[in-house]
Amino acid sequence: MERYFQPEIECASREQIKAIQDERLVKQVQNVWENVPYYRKKMEAKGLTPGDIRSSDDLYKLPFLSKDDLRDAYPYGLLGKPLSECVRIHSTSGTTGKRVVAFYTQHDIDLWEDCCARAIVAAGGTKGDVCQVSYGFGLFTGGAGLNGGSHKVGCLTVPISSGNTDRQIMFLMDLSATILCCTPSYAAYLGERMKEMGLKPEDIPLKAGIFGAEAWSEEMRQDIQKTLGIKAYDIYGLTELSGPGVAFECSAQSGMHINEDHFIAEIIDPDTGRVLPEGEQGELVFTSLDKEAFPLLRYRTKDICSLTREKCSCGRTHVRMHKPMGRTDDMLIIRGVNVFPSQIETVLLNHGYAANYQIIVDRVNNTDTLDVQVEMTPEMFTDNMGEIAERQKALVAGLQSMLGLKAKVTLVAPKTIVRSEGKAVRVIDKRKI
């Protein structure tokens, strides 16, 4: 039987959700007009005043915000509340330019933790569960968000953070943890290490995992579920909006429900900015309806996905976003072809390889090169060069079928590629472009 943390809103009618969004959007637009000069100037540049926004139907009129805007306004230019009312910051893990710093009032934190609690309950969490939070803590939002959500559900919470894998497994087994929260790549690594220790899926107390913060394929989900003996749930979020819990997966595992009482989602053409119809794939844009300290309107996430309002078997009525296939800034253009790392991962997992790989892009004699280094599992490891050559040939053919271009594939020994305890580094682009 499906459970809900806040059933009155998670299962609200479309009319109720629309009424909430209309009221909160009008209020938020007035708020940023009065309190965020940076965004007010953007509105004025489009000839807009708050009176032009009467409901969520007028959302398309508002200007976009991008990560460049957040960097330009760093650190305090997008604050919607006096600094004296802010109680916390978090920051992105970006490596280029200035980091994005997001601010939170206590009210913001309470609502964010509600969203994470909804995700935990959707994954089967109750106050009788032990929830091991293996996302990083500190400036990263993952640990803090799921930690707070776990408290609200009433789980016994293990705020272990990331790293120290053998200690992770010790606590997981000794405390009989039932829910694991971490990045999917770290979940795969934990499963790999537990297998090395002789643990079978039936020996592992976990029943569910809540994994996010990086792109992962359906094939990787199946691999993790099989190794750990769990049901693996996707969760989505951005530091800019609050953190994990903006959207979460239910038992149907057919898209993530967006918390529409707090966020309005749009899909736009990334080139023209035109809003696309439901079901079409494009760039995901979010408006935060009740964030106080850092209220972003029409923030371009760069994530590529689609939305659906088809009825969900779980009973929740909020719109669902399909798993992002990649990001506009993660998308590689190689010899004129658009390539997403998730496409390469799908091919590798379909051929029986674990999700330990690295994509190296370079430019030689004015021509792009694509080299995919793939780690063999211990079971398939061999020093038979003929056998390795045949396997590489099969992967080259699989990638050419998926991508429409030829890649070089190099199979490497187990444990060769460095493991990540946070977000996995999948792509190394050596081109000077």
Side-chain angles (χ1 to χ4, degrees):
M1 181 179 172
E2 193 77 27
R3 295 180 67 255
Y4 315 98
F5 181 67
Q6 295 168 319
E8 70 286 351
I9 186 61
E10 293 179 65
C11 302
S13 69
R14 290 306 318 162
E15 292 75 22
Q16 288 173 309
I17 293 170
K18 175 75 161 56
I20 290 170
Q21 290 184 333
D22 289 348
E23 180 184 348
R24 292 182 177 178
L25 178 64
V26 169
K27 184 178 177 182
Q28 187 71 290
V29 169
Q30 186 67 44
N31 173 47
V32 298
W33 177 267
E34 294 173 357
N35 297 304
V36 186
Y38 186 97
Y39 197 76
R40 177 174 179 163
K41 287 178 184 176
K42 291 181 77 76
M43 287 180 64
E44 288 174 335
K46 291 196 74 173
L48 290 172
T49 66
D52 296 310
I53 310 300
R54 297 183 176 89
S55 75
S56 57
D57 296 331
D58 297 320
L59 182 63
Y60 73 94
K61 299 176 182 177
L62 291 167
F64 292 113
L65 279 173
S66 68
K67 188 159 282 190
D68 287 340
D69 286 308
L70 272 58
R71 289 181 177 131
D72 289 345
Y74 174 92
Y76 299 131
L78 285 166
L79 267 179
K81 286 286 184 181
L83 205 56
S84 60
E85 293 184 34
C86 299
V87 298
R88 192 194 296 173
I89 69 158
H90 282 286
S91 178
T92 60
S93 56
T95 55
T96 59
K98 292 177 181 174
R99 284 175 171 246
V100 171
V101 175
F103 298 82
Y104 301 73
T105 64
Q106 186 57 53
H107 175 73
D108 293 334
I109 291 171
D110 289 340
L111 296 185
W112 174 26
E113 291 178 349
D114 282 347
C115 290
C116 289
R118 292 178 190 178
I120 291 169
V121 172
T126 70
K127 64 180 182 181
D129 282 291
V130 178
C131 184
Q132 185 153 316
V133 182
S134 301
Y135 285 109
F137 281 71
L139 289 175
F140 180 58
T141 56
L146 271 301
N147 184 75
S150 179
H151 285 185
K152 288 210 168 186
V153 174
C155 303
L156 174 62
T157 308
V158 185
I160 196 166
S161 193
S162 58
N164 200 331
T165 300
D166 286 353
R167 186 183 66 178
Q168 295 266 358
I169 295 170
M170 180 191 76
F171 272 104
L172 192 153
M173 297 301 294
D174 291 352
L175 298 176
S176 295
T178 49
I179 300 173
L180 173 66
C181 304
C182 63
T183 61
S185 57
Y186 193 49
Y189 181 35
L190 283 169
E192 179 186 315
R193 178 70 183 124
M194 292 168 93
K195 190 174 181 181
E196 288 174 355
M197 295 167 70
L199 292 169
K200 299 180 177 65
E202 58 267 26
D203 301 324
I204 301 167
L206 291 171
K207 67 178 184 182
I210 300 174
F211 307 132
E214 63 188 20
W216 55 309
S217 63
E218 183 60 32
E219 290 77 13
M220 187 174 183
R221 184 217 296 273
Q222 298 302 329
D223 192 57
I224 291 170
Q225 289 187 153
K226 182 179 177 182
T227 304
L228 293 176
I230 63 172
K231 192 161 184 174
Y233 294 81
D234 210 345
I235 191 169
Y236 176 89
L238 297 163
T239 301
E240 297 91 323
L241 297 172
S242 63
V246 171
F248 61 89
E249 212 167 32
C250 64
S251 58
Q253 291 181 310
S254 59
M256 289 173 277
H257 291 278
I258 293 168
N259 285 307
E260 288 190 277
D261 51 327
H262 302 305
F263 307 99
I264 298 180
E266 304 169 273
I267 298 291
I268 65 166
D269 181 315
D271 296 322
T272 66
R274 180 176 65 89
V275 178
L276 300 176
E278 178 184 329
E280 288 198 25
Q281 188 168 272
E283 182 181 354
L284 184 60
V285 173
F286 274 113
T287 292
S288 55
L289 292 169
D290 45 16
K291 185 88 182 281
E292 292 183 335
F294 204 61
L296 301 189
L297 305 186
R298 303 199 82 199
Y299 179 68
R300 298 184 61 160
T301 68
K302 296 191 175 182
D303 285 321
I304 302 297
C305 71
S306 61
L307 302 177
T308 179
R309 295 193 184 279
E310 290 178 5
K311 187 175 180 180
C312 185
S313 60
C314 77
R316 291 176 179 81
T317 51
H318 293 206
V319 68
R320 280 170 290 154
M321 57 178 279
H322 292 297
K323 184 187 287 289
M325 69 169 294
R327 293 172 54 82
T328 56
D329 54 356
D330 282 349
M331 184 181 76
L332 299 163
I333 301 177
I334 300 171
R335 301 197 290 275
V337 177
N338 295 345
V339 175
F340 290 96
S342 59
Q343 295 173 300
I344 293 173
E345 182 177 289
T346 293
V347 173
L348 301 182
L349 287 165
N350 281 339
H351 281 74
Y353 295 87
N356 295 313
Y357 63 93
Q358 208 150 53
I359 301 163
I360 301 170
V361 185
D362 206 343
R363 182 162 288 170
V364 179
N365 297 326
N366 296 317
T367 301
D368 293 337
T369 62
L370 174 61
D371 183 4
V372 183
Q373 297 192 354
V374 187
E375 199 174 89
M376 289 181 279
T377 63
E379 293 80 10
M380 65 172 58
F381 180 65
T382 177
D383 56 3
N384 184 323
M385 299 308 293
E387 189 175 338
I388 289 175
E390 284 301 312
R391 290 177 182 171
Q392 290 177 164
K393 186 177 177 182
L395 285 175
V396 167
L399 289 170
Q400 185 152 18
S401 176
M402 171 68 81
L403 306 175
L405 56 80
K406 191 168 184 178
K408 177 185 175 185
V409 174
T410 306
L411 290 176
V412 299
K415 305 287 187 182
T416 303
I417 295 173
V418 176
R419 300 299 192 274
S420 171
E421 294 171 343
K423 292 189 181 184
V425 178
R426 299 295 194 201
V427 180
I428 299 173
D429 194 338
K430 297 180 177 179
R431 298 174 296 181
K432 302 292 187 290
I433 55 176

